[in-house]
Amino acid sequence: YYTWDALSLQPFDRSLTSDTNAISNFIALSLPRNTNAQVYVYSRWPRQGNFLPDFDTTWLTNAGTTGSSYQQETREFFERVCRALREQWVTNLTHPIRIVPCGDVLYALSQKMQTGHIPGLTSIAQVYADGIHFNDTGAYTVACTFYATLYKDSPIGLNAALYGIDDTALARGIETTVWDVVRVHPYAGVIPEILPMAYSMVVPEGGTATINIKLSDPPVGVTTVNVARIAGDADITVSNGAVLVFTPANYAVWQTVTLAAAEDEDWEHGRATIACSGAGLASCNFIAIEQDNDAAAVCYDPFDVTPRIMQNLRSGYGWNSAWAIEGGSNGI
């Protein structure tokens, strides 16, 4: 019934698929009222029961393939949710889905606490009221993070007394840390971001594939974006080395980048990381996956001839004399 300007949705104790599906339901309900609404993924924090053994280690832990338990409270998990939603809604929403990076702010605060740079606090656990909820200090940290992200404005100098914080040095330490994180965060939206239409793509071996790229917001002036492979399978290349030029007038127009995968002798589906970067922009990476066209040869040596002992059985066809690739009906 309402035209929301911003919609903040918090993943909580669900799998990646479950969270993205639920968030998509809320987006679908709001979309008919306002396609200009800004959707945010509320990136929260690990509960103390999931510390491995501390906040920092948990936050930086890989989210794994299932994203269960403590893995749902990591930086990577919330970023995966954001990227998955972006791919689903890239052509329907005016603005890209973004992150309110509370977890990253808390990580930065934790680092400062450990080096004595936050007055009166030595551990991030001191902002918790219980295993997962925050006291006034934690609540003020979250409030400042939302303010900085929603309004793209520094929270330095806000009224911390509203949250029961009378220590000016502590308040300034929190506010400064929030702004240090939010103003450069790649998904917070304070600086223009390079946006791929997808975060993974398939390139056929011996062929090419294309991906579209644009900017989230107008750049200050004429801006160049460089697209290049930075890691992974060297058979995957950016054709002719992609250099894209964006201006305040064409920043929202998709530009096409072509990738190629050279023929090779293996049968592996190689992967490469492609980076997009430009001055004054939040960079991005996406994954290119080679769709190999070679048939795999799978063999095993089932028995050691002399002692007749099974040796590392996996799959395929074996041999008990000179090594040779079998053909005909036994071929793979």
Side-chain angles (χ1 to χ4, degrees):
Y1 297 99
Y2 300 96
T3 303
W4 300 102
D5 296 313
L7 187 62
S8 171
L9 297 160
Q10 178 183 348
F12 198 89
D13 291 357
R14 296 294 186 273
S15 68
L16 176 65
T17 301
S18 177
D19 271 327
T20 53
N21 286 344
I23 289 174
S24 287
N25 287 338
F26 280 105
I27 294 173
L29 288 170
S30 69
L31 196 63
R33 305 291 298 181
N34 183 14
T35 58
N36 285 315
Q38 176 62 69
V39 178
Y40 292 99
V41 173
Y42 178 8
S43 167
R44 54 185 182 87
W45 49 87
R47 67 198 75 197
Q48 294 194 65
N50 282 338
F51 283 6
L52 298 170
D54 53 26
F55 179 103
D56 299 6
T57 305
T58 307
W59 186 243
L60 300 179
T61 295
N62 188 292
T65 56
T66 57
S68 58
S69 185
Y70 67 88
Q71 294 174 327
Q72 296 166 353
E73 298 177 332
T74 66
R75 169 192 286 166
E76 185 184 16
F77 181 79
F78 293 106
E79 291 185 354
R80 281 189 186 180
V81 171
C82 181
R83 289 193 294 266
L85 288 167
R86 283 182 169 190
E87 290 187 356
Q88 291 179 27
W89 292 95
V90 65
T91 59
N92 299 93
L93 293 172
T94 304
H95 306 294
I97 294 168
R98 291 180 166 132
I99 284 179
V100 182
C102 293
D104 283 312
V105 167
L106 290 160
Y107 173 75
L109 274 177
S110 176
Q111 296 289 295
K112 288 187 177 183
M113 290 175 185
Q114 294 171 54
T115 55
H117 287 87
I118 302 297
L121 299 176
T122 58
S123 168
I124 198 67
Q126 291 173 274
V127 308
Y128 286 74
D130 55 32
I132 190 169
H133 301 100
F134 280 172
N135 57 26
D136 289 343
T137 302
Y140 185 60
T141 302
V142 173
C144 286
T145 306
F146 265 91
Y147 174 87
T149 306
L150 287 169
Y151 295 103
K152 301 183 180 182
D153 186 38
S154 169
I156 298 173
L158 293 180
N159 186 2
L162 294 173
Y163 284 77
I165 299 175
D166 298 319
D167 185 332
T168 302
L170 172 60
R172 294 300 90 84
I174 291 171
E175 296 156 6
T176 301
T177 303
V178 167
W179 190 233
D180 285 345
V181 172
V182 173
R183 65 187 175 87
V184 297
H185 195 280
Y187 297 118
V190 175
I191 58 176
E193 181 185 349
I194 303 170
L195 292 173
M197 184 166 275
Y199 287 91
S200 66
M201 62 179 296
V202 174
V203 186
E205 182 181 14
T208 62
T210 60
I211 187 169
N212 291 330
I213 294 171
K214 68 176 182 178
L215 301 187
S216 62
D217 299 276
V220 175
V222 177
T223 302
T224 299
V225 171
N226 295 294
V227 185
R229 183 185 63 84
I230 59 170
D233 192 343
D235 291 333
I236 299 174
T237 57
V238 181
S239 294
N240 301 320
V243 178
L244 311 177
V245 178
F246 291 98
T247 69
N250 77 343
Y251 76 94
V253 178
W254 293 107
Q255 296 192 35
T256 301
V257 173
T258 301
L259 274 68
E263 291 282 359
D264 56 32
E265 296 181 355
D266 63 46
W267 52 83
E268 296 180 354
H269 302 301
R271 299 164 66 92
T273 301
I274 311 298
C276 307
S277 60
L281 304 173
S283 60
C284 76
N285 293 347
F286 62 89
I287 302 298
I289 304 168
E290 175 195 31
Q291 183 65 50
D292 203 282
N293 57 18
D294 298 303
V298 181
C299 300
Y300 67 87
D301 184 357
F303 292 100
D304 180 80
V305 176
T306 303
R308 302 291 183 182
I309 298 174
M310 189 73 79
Q311 298 291 317
N312 201 24
L313 176 62
R314 290 294 182 269
S315 62
Y317 292 90
W319 61 94
N320 60 10
S321 58
W323 197 94
I325 298 176
E326 300 181 6
S329 62
N330 288 335
I332 302 298

